[in-house]
Amino acid sequence: MRSYYIAGNWKMHKTVAESVTLAQELVEQLKTCKHKVMIAPAFTALSAVAQAIRGSSIVLGAQNMGPEAQGAHTGEISPLMLKDLGVQAVILGHSERRHSYLETDELINRKVLLALEYGLQPILCVGETLAEREAGNLEAVVGSQVRDGLKGVALSSLGSVTIAYEPVWAIGTGKTATPEDADAVHAYIRQVLAGLYNQKAADSMIIQYGGSVKPDNVSQLMAKPNIDGALVGGASLKVDSFSPIALFV
Ligand code: PGA
């Protein structure tokens, strides 16, 4: 049985003090939350947020990670450094990384494998642009992002991986895919996973939806059979919008 997984991607927002305040508010508000909840502050706030959520069930996540464990890689953060701070999950291949920082499927795959090697739970983000959707390439694009992102991931490690389907045109735009459209893509991703692994593994995979998830659309999205959670950007920055999303049922 799959369970819901709600993640908040704070992106490049908040000072350390602001991050700690939000984390403390979430600990308070989400005491009764039945779902797995992860928050991913900026790297600079990870350590302080780790302290703030200690003893709660909130999982600490990072928004990205370098593709090497250590060495001469100026400006990068390694899985060892994340683990050292108590980070358990890491968002990889977010569309902002793919499109603004030109991360390729090959690079993202290296990060996924490295995260798994060091015991971090990767959230592999996939999603098509509006142009790709309109050209009829949605399945080709999303399918290859899933296949390439998971290359070399053993069936035994798959349980640690989450996939987030985030149509690029829905991120930060206020445009949400309809629950029906999103569910159809999630079903397609499950079909790709069944081909790569097997049906049981595909049926067990948690696939989050991301792209303008808000308190007023979360329930309709989560009601769909193939949608198992949300990766939330803008609405994760305030306790008043993230709590109702995490507490949707
Ligand atoms: P959004 O961002 O909720 O602000 O659309 C989602 C994401 O980028 O993960």
Side-chain angles (χ1 to χ4, degrees), residues 99-117:
H99 296 285
S100 304
Y101 299 95
L102 308 182
E103 292 199 4
T104 61
D105 285 314
E106 190 264 328
L107 177 69
I108 294 160
N109 176 241
R110 278 169 56 205
K111 295 184 182 192
V112 168
L113 293 172
L114 193 69
L116 289 170
E117 187 183 330

Side-chain angles (χ1 to χ4, degrees), residues 158 202 215:
L158 201 63

Side-chain angles (χ1 to χ4, degrees), residues 9-119:
N9 173 10
W10 295 1
K11 305 192 181 183
M12 201 172 71
H13 293 288
K14 298 194 184 288
T15 61
V16 173
E18 289 165 349
S19 301
V20 167
T21 300
L22 177 56
Q24 286 168 339
E25 288 169 341
L26 290 171
V27 167
E28 202 46 45
Q29 293 293 317
L30 300 183
K31 274 187 179 141
T32 59
C33 185
K34 292 179 280 186
H35 313 304
K36 178 174 175 180
V37 174
M38 179 272 257
I39 51 176
F43 289 131
T44 49
L46 282 171
S47 181
V49 169
Q51 302 297 325
I53 63 175
R54 180 162 293 168
S56 80
S57 57
I58 298 176
V59 170
L60 186 63
Q63 300 173 19
N64 187 25
M65 187 191 88
E68 311 287 343
Q70 58 190 331
H73 301 285
T74 303
E76 290 293 347
I77 301 279
S78 92
L80 291 165
M81 296 165 181
L82 295 179
K83 294 274 291 186
D84 190 37
L85 298 179
V87 170
Q88 295 163 266
V90 59
I91 300 168
L92 296 173
H94 189 279
S95 68
E96 287 149 18
R97 302 299 317 172
R98 291 178 186 267
H99 296 285
S100 304
Y101 299 95
L102 308 182
E103 292 199 4
T104 61
D105 285 314
E106 190 264 328
L107 177 69
I108 294 160
N109 176 241
R110 278 169 56 205
K111 295 184 182 192
V112 168
L113 293 172
L114 193 69
L116 289 170
E117 187 183 330
Y118 285 93

Side-chain angles (χ1 to χ4, degrees), residues 212-236:
S212 300
V213 175
K214 303 274 182 290
D216 62 2
N217 62 21
V218 65
S219 304
Q220 297 98 290
L221 286 160
M222 297 307 124
K224 291 292 168 192
N226 286 292
I227 302 182
D228 311 313
L231 179 54
V232 186
S236 72

